[in-house]
Structure formats: structure tokens, C-alpha cells
């Protein structure tokens, strides 16, 4: 009996050593791509960003041509006073639209950079999270493999049933499936990042910088972020443009109405009605544009508050995870002592260390998620002006 136990112990140790040697991955040094380099590559390879300045220049030329020798009466062929007034107003609004077209293209260039930086950063963070998931899956598979190898030996020695061996075998197969899924997910995330930066990345040859800090949420200023959104968010740029143009048309209609007020006394009811309709429509359109803008601002307030609340909740989660990691480190230290005293096996020690690494990666993933949410909240606060 003693000889059998001794043989089993030696065999188990050999199995665990063999599995330790077999899971050591390749030692090829990978090329590290930093987030800063990724964002620079994206802009360097962004054709739309490169040619955007030409659109700005073209709109500036169009506006210059239109504004030179501008005549509000040009092309106005209406037979009624109201029709002529409408023609003059349309010409002036068209000129202002040309002016806004220049502003739009300048805005677009700024937003192309913001969108590029945002998309690259979120894709980069997704790769980070996929790597953490893969690390956890790989450790789980290695542990399941060790359990299966031990189960193989125990079955050969008649120490466990075939059913118990099948459980270990199924556990390994399940862990292998999870590992394969995690590896496929990493490949997909790397493809997305490759698309964003305009350069093919190889999961076996390329890597990213896994260092990431925790943003200081105490410096978050929701009022400033709101202002930045109103100035730099495409939706609000368009909404504000609609308000400004509607207000400008309202001003022009008011001016025409005042200029023709005395003449309207001598006009037919139909002619006066044309002016009244024009006056009513201009006020209605301005009020509607302003209402839509105000409603969008209210929605922004709610959105920013909700995002900030989510960030504060995640910060609390990170604090709790840090405590859990600290507690788990104590557990691992105690298990290490038990292992040295031969009170627990090597596989039990490995599982304890793996549980700590899993928890650390849960913490790391939460930190990445915090950075992602912080970026979503503050993305319009980093837009730089382009002329």
C-alpha cells in the first residue's frame, strides 16, 4: 500500500510538472502599440481627415464669390410685393447658409479628429478587456487540464470512478471552449482596432500597452462639459444652426413687414394676407426651432447626470474590488504557508493564486470600463479648433 501511494505521489508530481512545462507559451517579443501611437496612426491613415481642408477652402471660395457684389434683389421676378419680399429674404438666407457652410466644414474637421480619437480609444480599451478575459480563460483551462491529468492517473489506479473522471474531462472541454471563444473575441477586437487605425494587427505579433490610470472624477465639471457639448457636439451644432437661421429669417421678415406696413394699407386683402402668412410662418418656424433646441438641452442635462451617476457607481465598485483583492492576497499568503507545510497540494495552491489573478483582472476590467465611461462623458471637451 505504501509503495502504491508513493508511486501515485511521484506520478502526480510528474504530471503537474509536465503540465507546467507544456503551457509555457511562445517567447516571441511582440511589438507594443501605445494608445498615443494608435490615435496618430488613425489620423495619418484617415483619407477623409486629410482632404477635409480642401472642403473648407472650397466653401470659403463659394461664400466669397456669393458675397462679392451681393444684391438681394437679384433674380427676384415676383409680381406681388410679398413675393418680391420673399425673394429678397431667400437670397439673404442663402448667403447666410453659404457662410454656415464654411463653419460646417471647419466643424466637421474638428469632429473628425474627435470621432477618430474616440473610436480608436474605445477599440483599444476593448482589446484590453479581451486580453484580461483571455488570461482568465487560459488559467482556468490550465487548471482544468491539471485536474484532468490527475484524474487520468487516479482512474488508472482505481481511485475514482469513470463518472468522476468524465466530470473532470467535461470540465476541461468546457474550459477549452471558453478559452477558444475568448481567443476569437480578442482576434475580433484586434480587427476592429486595425480597422480604426488603418493598419493590420496580428494577435501573435502585435500587442498593446496595458498600463491605464484611474481618472480623477473629483475634477468633473458637468456645467463645463455641458457647454462643451453645446459647442462641439454635431447634433447641437445642427440644432443651433437651425435656430440661428430661423431667427435670421424672422428678422428679415420683420424688416420687410415694417418696410411695407404703410403700403399694405393700400393693398388688397389677398396681398396683405401674403405678408401676414409670411410673418406667421417665420415666427412659427423660429419658435419651433428654439423649442427643439431647448428640448435637446434638457435631454443633455439628463444624459450627463445619468452618465455621471454611472461613473460614481463604478468608482465605488472599484474601491470594493480593491478591498477584495487585498483580502484575497492575504488568503493566498496563508495558502502559500499551508503549501510549504504540506497541508495543501500544488494544484490547490495554483487555484488560490489563479483566483487572485482573476479578481485582479476583474478590477482591471472595471478600471478600463471607468475610463470608457469617462471618455464618453468628456469626449466633446477635447475638440481643438481648426481654421
Amino acid at each position: 500500500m505504501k509503495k502504491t501511494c508513493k508511486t501515485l505521489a511521484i506520478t502526480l508530481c510528474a504530471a503537474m510538472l509536465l503540465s507546467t512545462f507544456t503551457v509555457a507559451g511562445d517567447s516571441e517579443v511582440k511589438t507594443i502599440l501605445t494608445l498615443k501611437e494608435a490615435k496618430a496612426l488613425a489620423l495619418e491613415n484617415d483619407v477623409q481627415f486629410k482632404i477635409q481642408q480642401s472642403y473648407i477652402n472650397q466653401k470659403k471660395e463659394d461664400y466669397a464669390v456669393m458675397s462679392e457684389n451681393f444684391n438681394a434683389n437679384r433674380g427676384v421676378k415676383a409680381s406681388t410685393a410679398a413675393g418680391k419680399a420673399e425673394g429678397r429674404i431667400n437670397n439673404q438666407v442663402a448667403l447666410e447658409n453659404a457662410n454656415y457652410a464654411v463653419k460646417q466644414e471647419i466643424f466637421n474637421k474638428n469632429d473628425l479628429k474627435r470621432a477618430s480619437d474616440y473610436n480608436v480609444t474605445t477599440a483599444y480599451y476593448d482589446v484590453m478587456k479581451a486580453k484580461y478575459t483571455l488570461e482568465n480563460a487560459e488559467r482556468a483551462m490550465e487548471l482544468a487540464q491539471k485536474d484532468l491529468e490527475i484524474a487520468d492517473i487516479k482512474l488508472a489506479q482505481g481511485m475514482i470512478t469513470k463518472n468522476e473522471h468524465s466530470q473532470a474531462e467535461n470540465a476541461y472541454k468546457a474550459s477549452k471552449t471558453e478559452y477558444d471563444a475568448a481567443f476569437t473575441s480578442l482576434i475580433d477586437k484586434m480587427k476592429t482596432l486595425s480597422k480604426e487605425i488603418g493598419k493590420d494587427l496580428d494577435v501573435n505579433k502585435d500587442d498593446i500597452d496595458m498600463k491605464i490610470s484611474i481618472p480623477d472624477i473629483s475634477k468633473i465639471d458637468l456645467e463645463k462639459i455641458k457647454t462643451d457639448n453645446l459647442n462641439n457636439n454635431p447634433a447641437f451644432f445642427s440644432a443651433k444652426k437651425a435656430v440661428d437661421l430661423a431667427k435670421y429669417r424672422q428678422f428679415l421678415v420683420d424688416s420687410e413687414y415694417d418696410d411695407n406696413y404703410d403700403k399694405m394699407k393700400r393693398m388688397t386683402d389677398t396681398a396683405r394676407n401674403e405678408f401676414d402668412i409670411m410673418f406667421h410662418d417665420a415666427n412659427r418656424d423660429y419658435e419651433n426651432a428654439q423649442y427643439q433646441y431647448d428640448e435637446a438641452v434638457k435631454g443633455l442635462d439628463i444624459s450627463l447626470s445619468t452618465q455621471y451617476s454611472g461613473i460614481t457607481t463604478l468608482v465605488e465598485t472599484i474601491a470594493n474590488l480593491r478591498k477584495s483583492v487585498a483580502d484575497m492576497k492575504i488568503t493566498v499568503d496563508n495558502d502559500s504557508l499551508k503549501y510549504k507545510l504540506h497541508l495543501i497540494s500544488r494544484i490547490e495552491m495554483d487555484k488560490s493564486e489563479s483566483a487572485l489573478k482573476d479578481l485582479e483582472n476583474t478590477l482591471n476590467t472595471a478600471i478600463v470600463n471607468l475610463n470608457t465611461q469617462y471618455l464618453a462623458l468628456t469626449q466633446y471637451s477635447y475638440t481643438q479648433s481648426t481654421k
Side-chain angles (χ1 to χ4, degrees):
M1 180 68 180
K2 289 183 178 179
K3 184 177 180 181
T4 302
C5 292
K6 183 176 181 181
T7 302
L8 176 61
I10 294 173
T11 308
L12 290 174
C13 288
M16 286 186 287
L17 283 172
L18 178 61
S19 63
T20 300
F21 289 129
T22 56
V23 297
D26 60 24
S27 57
E28 181 182 351
V29 177
K30 295 183 178 181
T31 302
I32 304 296
L33 176 70
T34 67
L35 178 56
K36 182 178 180 180
E37 290 169 341
K39 290 192 285 189
L41 269 174
L43 282 181
E44 180 181 326
N45 295 320
D46 190 333
V47 175
Q48 182 62 41
F49 183 76
K50 288 180 179 179
I51 66 176
Q52 187 58 31
Q53 187 61 45
S54 66
Y55 289 114
I56 295 174
N57 295 339
Q58 182 61 55
K59 293 301 180 182
K60 284 182 176 179
E61 291 175 11
D62 293 344
Y63 177 66
V65 170
M66 182 177 283
S67 59
E68 186 177 4
N69 302 319
F70 175 76
N71 185 343
N73 289 300
R74 183 173 296 166
V76 176
K77 298 179 180 179
S79 59
T80 66
K84 293 177 181 177
E86 182 76 20
R88 288 190 293 270
I89 290 170
N90 288 339
N91 284 341
Q92 292 175 89
V93 170
L95 179 63
E96 189 61 19
N97 258 319
N99 183 31
Y100 264 103
V102 176
K103 297 177 182 178
Q104 179 74 65
E105 295 302 339
I106 292 173
F107 179 91
N108 288 347
K109 184 172 184 179
N110 293 329
D111 193 60
L112 280 170
K113 183 181 185 308
R114 177 208 60 81
S116 176
D117 287 350
Y118 179 81
N119 293 335
V120 169
T121 303
T122 53
Y124 196 92
Y125 288 165
D126 283 344
V127 172
M128 293 181 74
K129 290 188 289 186
K131 285 178 66 66
Y132 289 134
T133 300
L134 181 62
E135 287 175 10
N136 291 347
E138 184 175 18
R139 281 194 305 276
M141 182 179 67
E142 290 169 357
L143 290 173
Q145 182 182 10
K146 290 178 182 179
D147 283 340
L148 178 58
E149 289 167 353
I150 293 172
D152 288 341
I153 297 170
K154 286 184 176 181
L155 180 64
Q157 297 291 334
M159 299 179 65
I160 61 173
T161 65
K162 288 185 177 180
N163 182 55
E164 290 173 318
H165 180 270
S166 294
Q167 291 176 6
E169 193 173 37
N170 290 335
Y172 171 71
K173 289 179 180 178
S175 68
K176 179 66 167 59
T177 299
E178 291 185 8
Y179 172 82
D180 290 341
F183 189 72
T184 299
S185 177
L186 176 60
I187 292 175
D188 290 341
K189 301 303 181 186
M190 288 284 276
K191 286 180 179 178
T192 299
L193 180 58
S194 297
K195 177 179 176 294
E196 293 296 340
I197 67 176
K199 176 184 178 182
D200 289 336
L201 299 174
D202 187 333
V203 70
N204 296 310
K205 297 179 180 179
D206 298 296
D207 208 345
I208 63 171
D209 183 3
M210 298 294 284
K211 295 190 294 294
I212 190 169
S213 58
I214 298 179
D216 184 2
I217 69 167
S218 66
K219 295 182 179 179
I220 291 178
D221 183 346
L222 289 183
E223 280 302 315
K224 181 183 182 305
I225 291 173
K226 176 182 177 180
T227 300
D228 292 335
N229 267 266
L230 297 179
N231 291 332
N232 302 321
N233 188 319
F236 284 101
F237 180 87
S238 297
K240 187 63 167 60
K241 172 186 173 183
V243 172
D244 290 345
L245 287 175
K247 187 175 182 179
Y248 182 56
R249 175 177 282 276
Q250 182 192 51
F251 165 75
L252 294 175
V253 170
D254 285 346
S255 298
E256 288 285 354
Y257 196 90
D258 291 341
D259 291 345
N260 287 275
Y261 185 77
D262 291 334
K263 296 179 184 177
M264 279 190 278
K265 296 176 182 178
R266 299 187 297 273
M267 292 180 187
T268 63
D269 291 342
T270 301
R272 283 198 302 271
N273 191 46
E274 288 182 12
F275 273 103
D276 290 338
I277 291 173
M278 186 166 51
F279 183 81
H280 171 269
D281 289 350
N283 283 289
R284 179 203 60 195
D285 292 346
Y286 169 68
E287 289 174 2
N288 181 60
Q290 186 64 59
Y291 172 79
Q292 296 297 331
Y293 181 83
D294 292 342
E295 288 299 300
V297 172
K298 291 177 184 177
L300 175 63
D301 287 333
I302 295 172
S303 175
L304 294 180
S305 178
T306 301
Q307 290 181 71
Y308 181 73
S309 178
I311 286 174
T312 56
T313 299
L314 193 48
V315 167
E316 293 175 3
T317 299
I318 289 173
N320 291 331
L321 282 170
R322 280 177 160 172
K323 293 177 183 177
S324 298
V325 168
D327 292 340
M328 191 63 199
K329 285 181 177 178
I330 294 174
T331 299
V332 171
D333 288 341
N334 291 336
D335 287 342
S336 179
L337 180 59
K338 290 178 183 178
Y339 175 68
K340 290 177 182 178
L341 295 174
H342 306 290
L343 297 176
I344 61 173
S345 66
R346 176 71 254 180
I347 187 67
E348 289 175 312
M349 185 68 238
D350 288 343
K351 288 180 179 179
S352 179
E353 291 175 339
S354 181
L356 172 59
K357 291 176 181 177
D358 284 350
L359 196 55
E360 288 175 336
N361 277 351
T362 299
L363 171 61
N364 292 333
T365 299
I367 292 174
V368 175
N369 286 333
L370 175 61
N371 276 270
T372 301
Q373 292 187 23
Y374 181 82
L375 176 65
L377 177 66
T378 61
Q379 61 178 303
Y380 295 106
S381 297
Y382 302 104
T383 302
Q384 297 182 4
S385 178
T386 302
K387 297 185 178 180

